[in-house]
Amino acid sequence: MNLEDTIYKRQSIRLYDDTPLDNQTLNEIRNFIENAKVLNPNIKWSYDILSTKNIRTIMRWKAPHYLVLFSEEKENYYQNIGFIFQQVDLFLQSKEIGTCWIGMASPKKYKNEDKNQKFIITIAFGKSPNNIKREINQFKRKDLDEISDKSDEKLVPAKLAPSASNSQPWYFTHNDDGSYDLYRVKLGIIRNKFVGKWNKIDTGIALAHLYVSNRDSFKFYKKDSPKELKGYYYDGSFII
């Protein structure tokens, strides 16, 4: 199954076999990561693959492997991490390897060689005894007209993207030239404390789905003076 098809089948997995993946598979994953498309080439980022014993988490379930992700703090750095590693998520699931983004997990006693990069988030992955695919009618997502100023089938891949607590914080507007503006919902104080920074990653994840579905035409950019939308932050613009 290719990455675009996987968008319509993937789901977050929370049950894994204890058996680690073989070295050949892990090297294939590393190779894919090194060649993934980035949202902002001016941001330095890095990752590592750690085992369960090197992860601190409150989750009751465990996975044999964890991607720990790091980045410089620059404009759209959360979105950049979401964009890059959702491509990785799709790659893994296309290979029948389960994945789950985890906000409540971090590496134990880990020092990144680049002191300017901070830890961002973790992705659990590994083989699962369960079926890791689902049917399109099993997705619990907002309708297109709830996430956009008009119902647009081109936005279905973004609609199906995973998000923190399934919050689906994105909103899209259409421009006369055929481009789109992407906004992220503003949260209240309490909710922002729990999922605010993850929602920045979420919009990057949604953009990754749009890129995978429109590889030849996708282009992301930031406007100097974007239109303000009440109740939302501007996260960028794109062409598909």
Side-chain angles (χ1 to χ4, degrees), residues 195-227:
V195 299
K197 64 180 179 180
W198 309 137
N199 279 173
K200 297 176 184 178
I201 295 173
D202 295 338
T203 54
I205 290 173
L207 286 169
H209 279 202
L210 292 169
Y211 160 65
V212 166
S213 302
N214 302 274
R215 289 178 182 271
D216 295 333
S217 57
F218 180 89
K219 180 182 178 182
F220 176 81
Y221 58 98
K222 295 294 292 286
K223 292 180 176 178
D224 293 330
S225 301
K227 181 180 178 181

Coordinates of all heavy atoms in Angstrom, one line a residue, residues 195-227:
V195 N -3.5 20.8 25.2 CA -3.3 20.4 23.8 C -2.8 21.5 22.9 O -2.7 21.3 21.7 CB -4.6 19.8 23.2 CG1 -5.0 18.5 24.0 CG2 -5.7 20.8 23.2
G196 N -2.6 22.7 23.5 CA -2.2 23.9 22.6 C -1.0 23.6 21.7 O -1.1 23.8 20.5
K197 N 0.1 23.2 22.3 CA 1.3 23.0 21.5 C 1.1 21.8 20.6 O 1.7 21.8 19.5 CB 2.5 22.9 22.3 CG 2.6 21.7 23.2 CD 3.9 21.7 24.0 CE 4.0 20.5 25.0 NZ 5.3 20.5 25.7
W198 N 0.4 20.8 21.0 CA 0.2 19.6 20.1 C -0.7 20.0 18.9 O -0.5 19.5 17.8 CB -0.5 18.5 20.9 CG 0.1 18.1 22.2 CD1 -0.6 17.9 23.4 CD2 1.5 18.0 22.5 NE1 0.3 17.6 24.4 CE2 1.6 17.6 23.9 CE3 2.6 18.1 21.8 CZ2 2.8 17.4 24.5 CZ3 3.9 17.9 22.4 CH2 3.9 17.6 23.8
N199 N -1.6 21.0 19.1 CA -2.4 21.4 17.9 C -1.5 22.1 16.8 O -1.9 22.0 15.7 CB -3.5 22.4 18.4 CG -4.7 21.7 19.0 OD1 -5.6 22.4 19.5 ND2 -4.8 20.4 18.9
K200 N -0.4 22.6 17.2 CA 0.5 23.2 16.2 C 1.1 22.0 15.4 O 1.3 22.1 14.2 CB 1.6 24.0 16.9 CG 1.1 25.2 17.6 CD 2.3 25.9 18.3 CE 1.8 27.1 19.2 NZ 2.9 27.7 19.9
I201 N 1.4 20.9 16.1 CA 1.9 19.7 15.4 C 0.8 19.2 14.5 O 1.0 18.8 13.4 CB 2.4 18.7 16.4 CG1 3.6 19.2 17.2 CG2 2.7 17.3 15.7 CD1 4.0 18.3 18.3
D202 N -0.4 19.2 15.0 CA -1.6 18.7 14.2 C -1.7 19.4 12.9 O -2.0 18.7 11.9 CB -2.9 18.9 15.1 CG -2.9 18.1 16.3 OD1 -2.1 17.1 16.4 OD2 -3.6 18.4 17.3
T203 N -1.6 20.7 12.8 CA -1.8 21.3 11.5 C -0.6 20.9 10.6 O -0.9 20.8 9.4 CB -1.8 22.9 11.7 OG1 -0.7 23.4 12.4 CG2 -3.1 23.3 12.4
G204 N 0.5 20.7 11.1 CA 1.6 20.1 10.3 C 1.3 18.7 9.8 O 1.6 18.4 8.6
I205 N 0.6 17.9 10.6 CA 0.2 16.6 10.2 C -0.8 16.7 9.1 O -0.7 15.9 8.1 CB -0.4 15.9 11.4 CG1 0.8 15.5 12.4 CG2 -1.1 14.6 11.0 CD1 0.3 14.9 13.7
A206 N -1.8 17.6 9.2 CA -2.8 17.8 8.1 C -2.1 18.2 6.8 O -2.5 17.7 5.8 CB -3.8 18.8 8.6
L207 N -1.1 19.1 6.9 CA -0.4 19.5 5.7 C 0.3 18.4 5.1 O 0.5 18.3 3.9 CB 0.6 20.6 6.1 CG -0.1 22.0 6.3 CD1 1.0 23.0 6.9 CD2 -0.7 22.6 5.0
A208 N 0.9 17.5 5.9 CA 1.6 16.3 5.4 C 0.6 15.4 4.5 O 1.0 14.9 3.5 CB 2.2 15.5 6.5
H209 N -0.6 15.3 5.0 CA -1.6 14.5 4.2 C -1.9 15.2 2.9 O -2.0 14.5 1.8 CB -2.9 14.3 5.0 CG -2.8 13.2 6.0 ND1 -3.9 12.6 6.5 CD2 -1.7 12.6 6.6 CE1 -3.6 11.7 7.4 NE2 -2.2 11.7 7.5
L210 N -1.9 16.5 2.9 CA -2.2 17.2 1.6 C -1.0 17.1 0.7 O -1.1 17.0 -0.5 CB -2.5 18.7 2.0 CG -3.8 18.9 2.7 CD1 -4.0 20.3 3.2 CD2 -5.0 18.6 1.7
Y211 N 0.2 17.2 1.3 CA 1.4 17.0 0.4 C 1.5 15.6 -0.2 O 1.7 15.5 -1.4 CB 2.7 17.2 1.3 CG 3.9 16.6 0.7 CD1 4.4 17.1 -0.6 CD2 4.6 15.5 1.2 CE1 5.5 16.5 -1.2 CE2 5.7 15.0 0.6 CZ 6.1 15.5 -0.6 OH 7.2 14.9 -1.2
V212 N 1.3 14.6 0.6 CA 1.3 13.2 0.1 C 0.3 13.0 -1.0 O 0.6 12.2 -2.0 CB 1.1 12.2 1.3 CG1 0.8 10.8 0.8 CG2 2.3 12.2 2.2
S213 N -0.8 13.7 -0.9 CA -1.9 13.5 -1.9 C -1.7 14.4 -3.1 O -2.4 14.3 -4.1 CB -3.2 13.8 -1.3 OG -3.5 13.0 -0.2
N214 N -0.7 15.3 -3.0 CA -0.5 16.3 -4.1 C 1.0 16.6 -4.3 O 1.4 17.8 -4.2 CB -1.3 17.6 -3.8 CG -2.7 17.4 -3.7 OD1 -3.5 17.4 -4.6 ND2 -3.2 17.3 -2.4
R215 N 1.8 15.6 -4.4 CA 3.3 15.7 -4.4 C 3.8 16.7 -5.4 O 4.7 17.4 -5.2 CB 3.9 14.4 -4.6 CG 3.8 13.4 -3.4 CD 4.4 12.1 -3.7 NE 4.3 11.2 -2.6 CZ 5.1 11.1 -1.5 NH1 6.2 11.8 -1.5 NH2 4.9 10.2 -0.6
D216 N 3.2 16.7 -6.6 CA 3.7 17.5 -7.7 C 3.3 18.9 -7.6 O 4.0 19.8 -8.3 CB 3.3 16.9 -9.1 CG 3.8 15.5 -9.3 OD1 4.9 15.2 -8.8 OD2 3.2 14.7 -10.0
S217 N 2.3 19.2 -6.9 CA 1.8 20.6 -6.9 C 1.9 21.3 -5.5 O 1.7 22.5 -5.5 CB 0.3 20.7 -7.4 OG -0.5 19.8 -6.6
F218 N 2.1 20.6 -4.5 CA 2.1 21.1 -3.1 C 3.2 22.2 -2.9 O 4.3 21.9 -3.2 CB 2.2 20.0 -2.1 CG 2.2 20.6 -0.7 CD1 1.0 20.7 0.0 CD2 3.4 20.9 0.0 CE1 1.0 21.2 1.3 CE2 3.4 21.4 1.3 CZ 2.2 21.5 2.0
K219 N 2.8 23.3 -2.4 CA 3.7 24.4 -2.0 C 3.2 25.1 -0.8 O 2.1 25.5 -0.8 CB 3.9 25.4 -3.2 CG 4.9 26.5 -2.9 CD 5.0 27.5 -4.0 CE 6.0 28.6 -3.6 NZ 6.1 29.6 -4.8
F220 N 4.1 25.2 0.2 CA 3.7 25.9 1.5 C 4.4 27.2 1.6 O 5.6 27.3 1.2 CB 4.0 25.0 2.7 CG 3.8 25.7 4.0 CD1 2.5 25.7 4.5 CD2 4.8 26.2 4.7 CE1 2.2 26.3 5.7 CE2 4.5 26.9 5.9 CZ 3.3 26.9 6.5
Y221 N 3.8 28.2 2.1 CA 4.4 29.5 2.3 C 3.7 30.3 3.4 O 2.5 30.0 3.7 CB 4.5 30.3 1.0 CG 3.1 30.6 0.3 CD1 2.4 31.8 0.5 CD2 2.5 29.6 -0.5 CE1 1.2 32.0 -0.1 CE2 1.3 29.8 -1.1 CZ 0.6 31.0 -0.9 OH -0.6 31.2 -1.4
K222 N 4.3 31.4 3.9 CA 3.7 32.2 4.9 C 3.4 33.6 4.3 O 4.3 34.2 3.6 CB 4.6 32.4 6.1 CG 4.8 31.1 6.9 CD 3.5 30.6 7.5 CE 3.0 31.5 8.7 NZ 3.8 31.4 9.9
K223 N 2.3 34.2 4.5 CA 2.0 35.5 4.1 C 2.4 36.5 5.1 O 2.3 36.3 6.3 CB 0.4 35.7 3.8 CG -0.1 34.9 2.7 CD -1.6 35.1 2.6 CE -2.2 34.3 1.4 NZ -3.7 34.5 1.3
D224 N 2.9 37.7 4.6 CA 3.3 38.7 5.5 C 2.1 39.4 6.2 O 2.2 39.8 7.4 CB 4.1 39.8 4.8 CG 5.4 39.3 4.2 OD1 6.0 38.4 4.9 OD2 5.9 39.8 3.2
S225 N 1.0 39.5 5.5 CA -0.2 40.1 6.1 C -1.4 39.3 5.8 O -2.3 39.6 4.9 CB -0.4 41.5 5.5 OG 0.7 42.3 5.8
P226 N -1.5 38.1 6.5 CA -2.7 37.2 6.2 C -4.0 37.8 6.7 O -4.0 38.7 7.6 CB -2.3 36.0 7.0 CG -1.4 36.5 8.1 CD -0.6 37.6 7.5
K227 N -5.0 37.4 6.2 CA -6.4 37.8 6.6 C -6.6 37.3 8.0 O -6.4 36.1 8.3 CB -7.4 37.3 5.7 CG -8.9 37.7 6.1 CD -9.9 37.2 5.1 CE -11.3 37.6 5.5 NZ -12.3 37.0 4.5

